[in-house]
Amino acid sequence: MFGLFKNKKKEIIKKYLEEGAQLLDVRTSSEFNGSHIEGSKNIPVQVIDQKMKSLDKEKPIIVYCAMGGRSNVAASKLKANGFKVVNAGGIGSMRKHLKP
């Protein structure tokens, strides 16, 4: 059952990337400054409620963090506010999705 969900998530991420998705890193600013995926926007999960207005509701969002917990919280908040979003999990998983 888990494998089916994992494959579905992979398909959604691929589709969103093809649609020009916004990449959202919800780690702290210091984590982001240490390393991040090029083209990502940094909005720490602690301030997502105040900063989500800076995101484009017309474009899907792929959200990631270090391990997947914070991105899960952020994805839930974004979905509740009408954004089209998928949680990629941790930055390592996100990097795998970007490989050809």
Side-chain angles (χ1 to χ4, degrees):
M1 185 76 159
F2 178 73
L4 292 174
F5 176 74
K6 189 175 178 182
N7 286 337
K8 177 86 170 157
K9 184 193 303 193
K10 188 175 183 175
E11 290 172 19
I12 292 169
I13 291 171
K14 182 180 177 188
K15 179 178 181 254
Y16 282 11
L17 287 169
E18 290 169 356
E19 293 175 6
Q22 303 165 90
L23 300 180
L24 180 61
D25 185 326
V26 295
R27 299 175 301 149
T28 64
S29 297
S30 60
E31 288 174 295
F32 182 82
N33 291 334
S35 77
H36 61 273
I37 295 171
E38 189 174 336
S40 295
K41 182 171 189 161
N42 179 228
I43 301 177
V45 69
Q46 298 87 343
V47 296
I48 194 75
D49 292 319
Q50 295 85 9
K51 303 279 184 168
M52 71 174 69
K53 294 177 194 122
S54 68
L55 298 168
D56 184 348
K57 269 196 173 175
E58 301 301 314
K59 289 185 178 181
I61 299 171
I62 302 172
V63 63
Y64 70 92
C65 63
M67 301 296 291
R70 290 176 283 181
S71 56
N72 188 49
V73 170
S76 294
K77 290 182 177 199
L78 290 165
K79 283 180 188 175
N81 282 278
F83 287 90
K84 185 176 170 183
V85 62
V86 64
N87 176 12
I91 190 169
S93 296
M94 186 64 225
R95 284 193 167 112
K96 288 179 186 174
H97 289 296
L98 294 173
K99 289 184 179 178

Coordinates of all heavy atoms in Angstrom, one line a residue:
M1 N 0.8 -1.2 0.0 CA 0.0 0.0 0.0 C 0.9 1.3 0.0 O 0.6 2.2 -0.7 CB -0.9 0.0 1.2 CG -1.9 1.1 1.3 SD -3.2 0.8 0.1 CE -4.4 1.9 0.7
F2 N 1.9 1.3 0.8 CA 2.8 2.5 0.9 C 3.5 2.7 -0.4 O 3.6 3.9 -0.8 CB 3.9 2.3 2.0 CG 4.8 3.4 2.1 CD1 4.4 4.6 2.6 CD2 6.1 3.3 1.6 CE1 5.3 5.7 2.7 CE2 7.0 4.4 1.7 CZ 6.6 5.6 2.2
G3 N 3.8 1.7 -1.1 CA 4.5 1.8 -2.4 C 3.6 2.5 -3.4 O 4.1 3.3 -4.3
L4 N 2.3 2.2 -3.4 CA 1.3 2.9 -4.3 C 1.3 4.4 -4.0 O 1.3 5.2 -4.9 CB 0.0 2.3 -4.1 CG -0.2 0.9 -4.6 CD1 -1.6 0.4 -4.3 CD2 0.0 0.7 -6.1
F5 N 1.3 4.8 -2.7 CA 1.2 6.2 -2.4 C 2.5 6.9 -2.8 O 2.5 8.0 -3.3 CB 1.0 6.4 -0.9 CG 1.1 7.8 -0.4 CD1 0.0 8.7 -0.7 CD2 2.2 8.3 0.2 CE1 0.1 10.0 -0.3 CE2 2.2 9.6 0.6 CZ 1.2 10.5 0.3
K6 N 3.7 6.2 -2.6 CA 5.0 6.8 -3.0 C 5.0 7.0 -4.5 O 5.5 8.1 -4.9 CB 6.1 5.8 -2.5 CG 7.5 6.4 -2.7 CD 8.5 5.4 -2.1 CE 9.9 6.0 -2.3 NZ 10.9 5.0 -1.8
N7 N 4.5 6.1 -5.3 CA 4.5 6.2 -6.7 C 3.6 7.4 -7.1 O 3.9 8.1 -8.1 CB 4.2 4.9 -7.4 CG 5.3 3.9 -7.4 OD1 6.5 4.3 -7.2 ND2 4.9 2.7 -7.5
K8 N 2.5 7.5 -6.5 CA 1.5 8.5 -6.8 C 2.1 9.9 -6.5 O 2.0 10.8 -7.3 CB 0.2 8.3 -5.9 CG -0.8 9.4 -6.1 CD -1.7 9.1 -7.2 CE -2.9 10.1 -7.2 NZ -3.5 10.3 -8.5
K9 N 2.8 10.0 -5.3 CA 3.5 11.3 -5.0 C 4.5 11.6 -6.0 O 4.6 12.8 -6.5 CB 4.1 11.2 -3.6 CG 4.7 12.5 -3.2 CD 5.6 12.5 -2.0 CE 5.2 12.0 -0.7 NZ 6.1 12.4 0.4
K10 N 5.3 10.6 -6.5 CA 6.3 10.9 -7.5 C 5.7 11.4 -8.8 O 6.2 12.3 -9.4 CB 7.1 9.5 -7.7 CG 8.3 9.7 -8.6 CD 9.0 8.4 -8.7 CE 10.3 8.5 -9.5 NZ 11.1 7.4 -9.6
E11 N 4.6 10.8 -9.2 CA 3.9 11.3 -10.4 C 3.4 12.7 -10.2 O 3.5 13.5 -11.1 CB 2.7 10.4 -10.7 CG 3.1 9.0 -11.1 CD 1.9 8.1 -11.2 OE1 0.7 8.6 -11.3 OE2 2.1 6.8 -11.2
I12 N 2.9 13.0 -9.0 CA 2.4 14.4 -8.8 C 3.5 15.4 -8.8 O 3.4 16.4 -9.5 CB 1.6 14.5 -7.4 CG1 0.3 13.6 -7.5 CG2 1.3 15.9 -7.1 CD1 -0.3 13.4 -6.2
I13 N 4.6 15.1 -8.2 CA 5.8 16.0 -8.2 C 6.3 16.2 -9.6 O 6.5 17.3 -10.1 CB 6.9 15.4 -7.3 CG1 6.4 15.5 -5.8 CG2 8.2 16.2 -7.5 CD1 7.3 14.9 -4.8
K14 N 6.4 15.1 -10.4 CA 6.8 15.2 -11.8 C 5.8 16.1 -12.6 O 6.3 17.0 -13.3 CB 6.8 13.8 -12.5 CG 7.3 13.9 -13.9 CD 7.3 12.5 -14.5 CE 7.8 12.6 -16.0 NZ 7.7 11.4 -16.7
K15 N 4.5 15.9 -12.4 CA 3.5 16.8 -13.1 C 3.7 18.2 -12.7 O 3.6 19.1 -13.5 CB 2.1 16.2 -12.8 CG 1.0 17.0 -13.4 CD -0.3 16.4 -13.0 CE -1.5 17.1 -13.7 NZ -2.2 18.0 -12.8
Y16 N 3.8 18.5 -11.4 CA 3.9 19.8 -10.9 C 5.2 20.5 -11.4 O 5.2 21.7 -11.8 CB 4.0 19.9 -9.4 CG 2.6 19.7 -8.7 CD1 1.5 19.4 -9.4 CD2 2.5 19.9 -7.3 CE1 0.3 19.2 -8.7 CE2 1.3 19.8 -6.7 CZ 0.2 19.5 -7.4 OH -1.0 19.3 -6.8
L17 N 6.3 19.8 -11.5 CA 7.5 20.3 -12.1 C 7.3 20.7 -13.5 O 7.8 21.8 -14.0 CB 8.7 19.3 -12.0 CG 9.2 19.1 -10.6 CD1 10.2 18.0 -10.5 CD2 9.9 20.4 -10.1
E18 N 6.6 19.9 -14.3 CA 6.3 20.2 -15.7 C 5.4 21.4 -15.8 O 5.5 22.2 -16.8 CB 5.6 19.0 -16.4 CG 6.5 17.8 -16.6 CD 5.8 16.5 -17.0 OE1 4.6 16.5 -17.0 OE2 6.5 15.5 -17.2
E19 N 4.6 21.7 -14.8 CA 3.7 22.9 -14.8 C 4.4 24.1 -14.2 O 3.7 25.1 -14.0 CB 2.5 22.6 -13.9 CG 1.6 21.5 -14.5 CD 0.4 21.1 -13.6 OE1 0.2 21.8 -12.5 OE2 -0.3 20.2 -13.9
G20 N 5.7 24.0 -13.9 CA 6.4 25.2 -13.4 C 6.2 25.5 -12.0 O 6.1 26.6 -11.6
A21 N 6.1 24.4 -11.2 CA 5.9 24.5 -9.7 C 6.8 25.5 -9.0 O 8.0 25.6 -9.4 CB 5.9 23.2 -9.1
Q22 N 6.3 26.0 -7.9 CA 7.1 26.8 -7.0 C 7.8 25.8 -6.0 O 7.1 24.9 -5.5 CB 6.3 27.8 -6.2 CG 5.5 28.7 -7.1 CD 4.4 29.4 -6.3 OE1 4.6 30.5 -5.7 NE2 3.2 28.8 -6.3
L23 N 9.1 25.9 -5.8 CA 9.7 25.1 -4.8 C 9.8 25.9 -3.5 O 10.3 27.0 -3.5 CB 11.1 24.7 -5.3 CG 11.2 23.9 -6.6 CD1 12.6 23.6 -7.0 CD2 10.4 22.6 -6.6
L24 N 9.3 25.3 -2.5 CA 9.2 26.0 -1.2 C 10.0 25.2 -0.1 O 9.6 24.0 0.2 CB 7.8 26.2 -0.8 CG 7.5 26.9 0.5 CD1 8.1 28.3 0.5 CD2 6.1 26.9 0.9
D25 N 11.0 25.8 0.4 CA 11.9 25.2 1.5 C 11.4 25.8 2.8 O 11.4 27.0 2.9 CB 13.3 25.6 1.2 CG 14.3 24.9 2.2 OD1 14.0 24.8 3.4 OD2 15.4 24.6 1.7
V26 N 10.9 25.0 3.7 CA 10.3 25.5 4.9 C 11.2 25.3 6.1 O 10.8 25.4 7.3 CB 8.9 24.9 5.2 CG1 7.9 25.4 4.1 CG2 8.9 23.4 5.3
R27 N 12.5 25.1 5.9 CA 13.5 25.0 6.9 C 13.8 26.4 7.4 O 13.4 27.4 6.8 CB 14.8 24.3 6.4 CG 14.5 22.9 6.0 CD 15.7 22.2 5.4 NE 16.2 23.0 4.2 CZ 17.5 23.1 3.8 NH1 18.4 22.5 4.5 NH2 17.8 23.8 2.8
T28 N 14.6 26.5 8.5 CA 15.1 27.8 9.0 C 15.9 28.5 8.0 O 16.5 27.9 7.1 CB 15.8 27.6 10.3 OG1 17.1 26.9 10.0 CG2 15.0 26.9 11.4
S29 N 16.1 29.8 8.1 CA 16.9 30.6 7.2 C 18.4 30.1 7.3 O 19.0 30.0 6.2 CB 16.9 32.1 7.6 OG 15.6 32.5 7.4
S30 N 18.9 29.7 8.4 CA 20.3 29.3 8.5 C 20.4 27.9 7.8 O 21.4 27.7 7.2 CB 20.7 29.2 10.0 OG 19.9 28.3 10.7
E31 N 19.4 27.0 7.9 CA 19.5 25.8 7.2 C 19.5 26.0 5.7 O 20.3 25.4 4.9 CB 18.3 24.9 7.5 CG 18.4 24.2 8.9 CD 17.1 23.5 9.2 OE1 16.0 24.1 9.3 OE2 17.2 22.3 9.4
F32 N 18.6 26.9 5.3 CA 18.5 27.3 3.8 C 19.8 27.9 3.3 O 20.3 27.5 2.2 CB 17.3 28.3 3.7 CG 17.1 28.7 2.2 CD1 16.3 27.9 1.4 CD2 17.6 29.9 1.7 CE1 16.1 28.3 0.1 CE2 17.3 30.3 0.5 CZ 16.6 29.5 -0.4
N33 N 20.4 28.8 4.1 CA 21.6 29.4 3.7 C 22.8 28.4 3.6 O 23.7 28.6 2.8 CB 22.0 30.6 4.6 CG 21.1 31.7 4.4 OD1 20.4 31.9 3.4 ND2 20.9 32.5 5.5
G34 N 22.7 27.3 4.4 CA 23.7 26.3 4.4 C 23.7 25.5 3.1 O 24.7 25.1 2.5
S35 N 22.5 25.2 2.6 CA 22.3 24.5 1.4 C 20.8 24.5 1.0 O 20.0 24.4 1.9 CB 22.9 23.0 1.4 OG 22.0 22.2 2.1
H36 N 20.6 24.5 -0.2 CA 19.2 24.5 -0.7 C 19.1 24.1 -2.1 O 20.2 24.1 -2.8 CB 18.4 25.8 -0.4 CG 19.0 27.0 -1.2 ND1 20.1 27.7 -0.6 CD2 18.8 27.5 -2.4 CE1 20.4 28.7 -1.5 NE2 19.6 28.6 -2.6
I37 N 18.0 23.9 -2.6 CA 17.8 23.6 -4.0 C 17.6 24.9 -4.8 O 16.8 25.7 -4.4 CB 16.6 22.6 -4.2 CG1 16.9 21.3 -3.6 CG2 16.2 22.5 -5.7 CD1 15.7 20.4 -3.5
E38 N 18.4 25.0 -5.8 CA 18.4 26.2 -6.6 C 17.0 26.6 -7.1 O 16.2 25.7 -7.6 CB 19.3 26.1 -7.8 CG 19.5 27.4 -8.6 CD 20.6 27.3 -9.7 OE1 21.4 26.5 -9.6 OE2 20.5 28.1 -10.6
G39 N 16.6 27.8 -7.0 CA 15.3 28.2 -7.4 C 14.2 28.1 -6.3 O 13.1 28.5 -6.5
S40 N 14.6 27.6 -5.2 CA 13.6 27.5 -4.1 C 13.4 28.8 -3.3 O 14.3 29.6 -3.3 CB 14.1 26.5 -3.0 OG 14.2 25.2 -3.5
K41 N 12.2 29.0 -2.8 CA 11.9 30.1 -2.0 C 11.9 29.6 -0.5 O 11.5 28.5 -0.3 CB 10.6 30.7 -2.3 CG 10.2 31.9 -1.6 CD 8.9 32.5 -2.1 CE 8.6 33.8 -1.5 NZ 7.7 34.6 -2.2
N42 N 12.5 30.4 0.4 CA 12.6 30.0 1.8 C 11.5 30.7 2.6 O 11.6 32.0 2.7 CB 14.0 30.3 2.3 CG 14.1 29.9 3.8 OD1 14.7 30.7 4.6 ND2 13.7 28.7 4.2
I43 N 10.6 30.0 3.1 CA 9.6 30.5 4.1 C 9.6 29.5 5.2 O 9.0 28.4 5.1 CB 8.2 30.7 3.5 CG1 8.2 31.7 2.3 CG2 7.3 31.2 4.6 CD1 6.9 31.8 1.7
P44 N 10.3 29.8 6.3 CA 10.3 28.8 7.5 C 8.9 28.5 7.9 O 8.0 29.4 7.9 CB 11.1 29.6 8.6 CG 11.9 30.5 7.8 CD 11.1 31.0 6.6
V45 N 8.6 27.3 8.3 CA 7.3 26.8 8.6 C 6.7 27.7 9.8 O 5.5 27.9 9.8 CB 7.3 25.3 9.0 CG1 8.0 25.0 10.3 CG2 5.9 24.8 9.0
Q46 N 7.6 28.2 10.6 CA 7.1 29.0 11.8 C 6.4 30.3 11.3 O 5.6 30.9 12.1 CB 8.2 29.4 12.7 CG 8.9 28.2 13.3 CD 10.0 27.6 12.5 OE1 10.2 27.9 11.3 NE2 10.9 26.8 13.1
V47 N 6.6 30.7 10.1 CA 6.0 32.0 9.6 C 5.2 31.8 8.3 O 4.8 32.7 7.7 CB 7.1 33.1 9.4 CG1 7.8 33.5 10.7 CG2 8.1 32.7 8.3
I48 N 4.9 30.5 8.0 CA 4.1 30.2 6.8 C 2.8 30.9 6.8 O 2.3 31.4 5.7 CB 4.0 28.7 6.6 CG1 3.5 28.4 5.1 CG2 3.1 28.1 7.6 CD1 4.6 28.6 4.1
D49 N 2.1 31.0 7.9 CA 0.8 31.7 8.0 C 0.9 33.1 7.5 O 0.0 33.6 6.8 CB 0.2 31.6 9.4 CG -0.2 30.2 9.8 OD1 -0.7 29.4 8.9 OD2 0.0 29.8 10.9
Q50 N 1.9 33.8 7.9 CA 2.0 35.2 7.6 C 2.6 35.5 6.2 O 2.4 36.5 5.6 CB 3.0 35.9 8.6 CG 2.5 36.0 10.0 CD 2.8 34.7 10.8 OE1 3.6 33.9 10.4 NE2 2.2 34.6 12.0
K51 N 3.4 34.5 5.7 CA 4.1 34.7 4.4 C 3.5 34.1 3.2 O 3.9 34.3 2.1 CB 5.5 34.3 4.6 CG 6.3 34.9 5.7 CD 6.8 36.3 5.3 CE 7.7 36.9 6.4 NZ 8.4 38.0 6.0
M52 N 2.4 33.2 3.4 CA 1.9 32.5 2.2 C 1.3 33.4 1.2 O 1.2 33.0 0.0 CB 0.9 31.4 2.7 CG -0.4 31.8 3.2 SD -1.5 30.5 3.5 CE -0.8 29.6 4.9
K53 N 1.0 34.7 1.6 CA 0.5 35.6 0.6 C 1.5 35.9 -0.5 O 1.1 36.4 -1.6 CB 0.1 36.9 1.3 CG -1.1 36.8 2.2 CD -1.3 38.1 2.9 CE -2.2 37.8 4.1 NZ -1.7 38.3 5.4
S54 N 2.8 35.7 -0.2 CA 3.8 35.9 -1.2 C 3.9 34.8 -2.3 O 4.7 34.9 -3.2 CB 5.2 36.1 -0.6 OG 5.6 34.9 0.0
L55 N 3.1 33.8 -2.1 CA 3.1 32.6 -3.1 C 2.0 32.8 -4.1 O 1.0 33.4 -3.8 CB 3.0 31.3 -2.3 CG 4.0 31.0 -1.3 CD1 3.6 29.8 -0.4 CD2 5.3 30.7 -2.0
D56 N 2.3 32.3 -5.3 CA 1.4 32.4 -6.4 C 0.3 31.3 -6.3 O 0.7 30.1 -6.5 CB 2.1 32.4 -7.7 CG 1.3 32.6 -8.9 OD1 0.0 32.5 -8.9 OD2 1.9 32.7 -10.0
K57 N -0.9 31.6 -6.1 CA -2.0 30.5 -6.0 C -2.2 29.9 -7.4 O -2.9 28.8 -7.4 CB -3.3 31.1 -5.5 CG -3.4 31.0 -4.0 CD -4.8 31.2 -3.5 CE -4.8 30.9 -2.0 NZ -6.1 31.2 -1.4
E58 N -1.8 30.5 -8.4 CA -2.0 29.9 -9.8 C -1.0 28.8 -10.1 O -1.2 28.1 -11.1 CB -2.0 31.0 -10.8 CG -3.0 32.2 -10.6 CD -4.4 31.7 -10.6 OE1 -4.8 30.9 -11.5 OE2 -5.2 32.1 -9.7
K59 N 0.1 28.7 -9.4 CA 1.1 27.7 -9.7 C 1.1 26.7 -8.5 O 1.0 27.1 -7.4 CB 2.5 28.4 -9.8 CG 2.7 29.2 -11.0 CD 4.1 29.7 -11.0 CE 4.4 30.5 -12.3 NZ 5.8 30.9 -12.3
P60 N 1.3 25.4 -8.9 CA 1.4 24.4 -7.8 C 2.7 24.6 -7.0 O 3.6 25.3 -7.5 CB 1.5 23.1 -8.6 CG 1.9 23.4 -10.0 CD 1.5 24.8 -10.2
I61 N 2.7 24.1 -5.8 CA 3.8 24.2 -4.9 C 4.3 22.8 -4.5 O 3.5 22.0 -4.2 CB 3.4 25.0 -3.6 CG1 2.9 26.4 -4.0 CG2 4.6 25.0 -2.6 CD1 2.3 27.2 -2.8
I62 N 5.6 22.7 -4.5 CA 6.3 21.5 -4.0 C 7.1 22.0 -2.8 O 7.9 22.8 -2.9 CB 7.2 20.9 -5.0 CG1 6.5 20.5 -6.3 CG2 7.9 19.6 -4.4 CD1 7.4 20.0 -7.5
V63 N 6.7 21.4 -1.6 CA 7.3 21.9 -0.4 C 8.2 20.8 0.2 O 7.9 19.6 0.1 CB 6.2 22.3 0.6 CG1 5.3 21.1 1.0 CG2 6.7 22.9 1.9
Y64 N 9.3 21.2 0.8 CA 10.3 20.3 1.4 C 10.9 20.9 2.6 O 10.9 22.1 2.8 CB 11.3 19.8 0.4 CG 12.3 20.9 -0.1 CD1 13.5 21.0 0.6 CD2 12.1 21.7 -1.1 CE1 14.4 22.0 0.2 CE2 13.0 22.7 -1.5 CZ 14.2 22.8 -0.8 OH 15.1 23.7 -1.2
C65 N 11.5 20.1 3.4 CA 12.3 20.5 4.6 C 13.5 19.6 4.8 O 14.1 19.2 3.8 CB 11.4 20.6 5.8 SG 10.8 18.9 6.3
A66 N 13.9 19.3 6.0 CA 15.0 18.5 6.2 C 14.6 17.0 6.1 O 15.3 16.2 5.5 CB 15.7 18.8 7.5
M67 N 13.6 16.6 6.8 CA 13.2 15.2 6.9 C 11.7 14.9 6.5 O 11.3 13.8 6.3 CB 13.4 14.7 8.4 CG 14.8 14.8 8.9 SD 16.0 13.8 8.0 CE 15.5 12.2 8.5
G68 N 10.9 16.0 6.4 CA 9.5 15.8 6.0 C 8.5 16.2 6.9 O 7.3 16.4 6.6
G69 N 8.8 16.4 8.2 CA 7.8 16.8 9.2 C 7.3 18.2 9.1 O 6.1 18.5 9.0
R70 N 8.3 19.1 8.9 CA 7.9 20.5 8.8 C 7.2 20.8 7.5 O 6.2 21.6 7.4 CB 9.1 21.4 8.9 CG 9.7 21.5 10.4 CD 10.9 22.3 10.5 NE 12.0 21.5 9.9 CZ 13.3 22.0 9.9 NH1 13.6 23.2 10.3 NH2 14.2 21.2 9.4
S71 N 7.6 20.1 6.4 CA 7.0 20.3 5.1 C 5.5 19.7 5.2 O 4.7 20.2 4.5 CB 7.8 19.7 4.0 OG 8.0 18.3 4.2
N72 N 5.3 18.7 6.0 CA 3.9 18.2 6.1 C 3.0 19.2 6.8 O 1.9 19.4 6.3 CB 4.0 16.9 6.9 CG 2.6 16.2 7.0 OD1 2.0 16.0 5.9 ND2 2.2 15.8 8.1
V73 N 3.5 19.9 7.8 CA 2.8 20.9 8.5 C 2.5 22.1 7.5 O 1.3 22.5 7.4 CB 3.5 21.5 9.7 CG1 2.8 22.7 10.3 CG2 3.6 20.4 10.8
A74 N 3.5 22.5 6.8 CA 3.3 23.6 5.8 C 2.4 23.2 4.7 O 1.5 24.0 4.3 CB 4.7 24.0 5.2
A75 N 2.5 22.0 4.2 CA 1.6 21.6 3.1 C 0.1 21.6 3.6 O -0.7 22.0 2.8 CB 2.0 20.2 2.6
S76 N -0.1 21.1 4.8 CA -1.5 21.1 5.3 C -2.0 22.5 5.4 O -3.2 22.8 5.1 CB -1.5 20.4 6.7 OG -1.2 19.1 6.6
K77 N -1.2 23.4 5.9 CA -1.7 24.8 6.0 C -1.9 25.4 4.6 O -2.9 26.2 4.5 CB -0.7 25.7 6.8 CG -0.6 25.3 8.2 CD 0.4 26.2 9.0 CE 0.4 25.9 10.5 NZ 0.9 26.9 11.3
L78 N -1.1 25.2 3.7 CA -1.2 25.7 2.3 C -2.5 25.1 1.7 O -3.3 25.9 1.1 CB 0.0 25.4 1.5 CG 1.2 26.2 1.9 CD1 2.5 25.6 1.3 CD2 1.1 27.7 1.5
K79 N -2.7 23.8 1.8 CA -3.9 23.2 1.3 C -5.2 23.8 1.9 O -6.1 24.1 1.1 CB -3.9 21.7 1.5 CG -3.0 20.9 0.6 CD -3.0 19.4 0.9 CE -1.9 18.7 0.1 NZ -1.9 17.3 0.5
A80 N -5.1 24.0 3.2 CA -6.3 24.6 3.8 C -6.6 26.0 3.3 O -7.7 26.5 3.5 CB -6.1 24.6 5.4
N81 N -5.6 26.7 2.7 CA -5.8 28.0 2.2 C -5.9 28.0 0.7 O -5.7 29.1 0.1 CB -4.7 28.9 2.7 CG -4.8 29.3 4.1 OD1 -5.6 30.3 4.4 ND2 -4.2 28.6 5.0
G82 N -6.2 26.9 0.1 CA -6.6 26.8 -1.3 C -5.4 26.7 -2.3 O -5.6 26.8 -3.5
F83 N -4.2 26.4 -1.8 CA -3.1 26.1 -2.7 C -3.1 24.7 -3.2 O -3.5 23.8 -2.5 CB -1.7 26.4 -1.9 CG -1.5 27.9 -1.7 CD1 -1.9 28.5 -0.5 CD2 -0.8 28.7 -2.6 CE1 -1.7 29.9 -0.3 CE2 -0.6 30.0 -2.4 CZ -1.0 30.6 -1.2
K84 N -2.5 24.5 -4.4 CA -2.3 23.2 -5.0 C -0.9 22.8 -4.5 O 0.1 23.4 -5.0 CB -2.5 23.3 -6.5 CG -2.4 22.0 -7.2 CD -2.6 22.3 -8.7 CE -2.3 21.1 -9.6 NZ -2.5 21.5 -11.0
V85 N -0.8 21.8 -3.6 CA 0.5 21.6 -3.0 C 0.8 20.1 -2.8 O -0.2 19.3 -2.6 CB 0.6 22.3 -1.7 CG1 -0.4 21.9 -0.7 CG2 2.0 22.2 -1.1
V86 N 2.0 19.7 -2.9 CA 2.5 18.3 -2.5 C 3.7 18.4 -1.6 O 4.5 19.3 -1.8 CB 2.7 17.5 -3.8 CG1 3.9 18.0 -4.6 CG2 3.0 16.0 -3.4
N87 N 3.7 17.6 -0.7 CA 4.9 17.5 0.2 C 5.9 16.5 -0.3 O 5.6 15.3 -0.4 CB 4.4 17.0 1.6 CG 5.5 16.8 2.6 OD1 6.7 17.2 2.4 ND2 5.2 16.2 3.7
A88 N 7.1 17.0 -0.7 CA 8.1 16.1 -1.2 C 8.9 15.5 -0.1 O 9.7 14.6 -0.4 CB 9.1 16.9 -2.1
G89 N 8.7 15.9 1.1 CA 9.5 15.3 2.2 C 10.7 16.1 2.5 O 10.8 17.3 2.5
G90 N 11.8 15.4 2.7 CA 13.1 16.0 3.0 C 13.8 16.5 1.7 O 13.5 16.1 0.6
I91 N 14.9 17.2 1.9 CA 15.6 17.8 0.8 C 16.3 16.7 0.0 O 16.4 16.8 -1.2 CB 16.7 18.9 1.4 CG1 17.3 19.6 0.2 CG2 17.7 18.2 2.3 CD1 18.1 20.8 0.6
G92 N 16.7 15.6 0.6 CA 17.3 14.5 -0.1 C 16.3 13.9 -1.1 O 16.7 13.6 -2.3
S93 N 15.1 13.7 -0.6 CA 14.0 13.2 -1.5 C 13.7 14.2 -2.7 O 13.6 13.8 -3.8 CB 12.8 12.9 -0.7 OG 13.0 11.9 0.2
M94 N 13.7 15.4 -2.3 CA 13.4 16.5 -3.3 C 14.5 16.4 -4.4 O 14.2 16.5 -5.6 CB 13.4 17.8 -2.7 CG 12.9 19.0 -3.6 SD 11.3 18.8 -4.2 CE 11.5 19.1 -5.9
R95 N 15.8 16.3 -4.0 CA 16.9 16.3 -5.0 C 16.7 15.1 -5.9 O 17.0 15.2 -7.1 CB 18.2 16.3 -4.3 CG 18.6 17.6 -3.7 CD 20.1 17.6 -3.3 NE 20.5 19.0 -3.1 CZ 20.8 19.6 -1.9 NH1 20.7 18.8 -0.9 NH2 21.1 20.8 -1.9
K96 N 16.3 14.0 -5.4 CA 16.1 12.8 -6.2 C 15.0 13.0 -7.3 O 15.1 12.5 -8.4 CB 15.7 11.6 -5.4 CG 16.8 11.0 -4.5 CD 16.4 9.9 -3.7 CE 17.5 9.4 -2.8 NZ 17.0 8.4 -1.8
H97 N 13.9 13.8 -6.9 CA 12.9 14.1 -7.8 C 13.3 15.0 -9.0 O 12.7 15.0 -10.0 CB 11.7 14.7 -7.1 CG 10.9 13.8 -6.2 ND1 10.3 12.7 -6.7 CD2 10.8 13.8 -4.9 CE1 9.7 12.0 -5.7 NE2 10.0 12.7 -4.6
L98 N 14.4 15.7 -8.7 CA 14.9 16.7 -9.7 C 15.8 16.0 -10.7 O 16.1 16.6 -11.8 CB 15.5 17.9 -9.1 CG 14.6 18.8 -8.2 CD1 15.4 19.8 -7.5 CD2 13.5 19.4 -9.1
K99 N 16.3 14.8 -10.4 CA 17.2 14.2 -11.3 C 16.5 13.6 -12.5 O 15.4 13.1 -12.4 CB 17.9 13.0 -10.6 CG 18.9 13.5 -9.6 CD 19.6 12.3 -9.0 CE 20.7 12.8 -7.9 NZ 21.3 11.7 -7.3
P100 N 17.1 13.7 -13.7 CA 16.5 13.3 -14.9 C 16.3 11.7 -15.0 O 16.9 11.0 -14.3 CB 17.4 13.7 -16.0 CG 18.6 14.3 -15.4 CD 18.4 14.4 -14.0

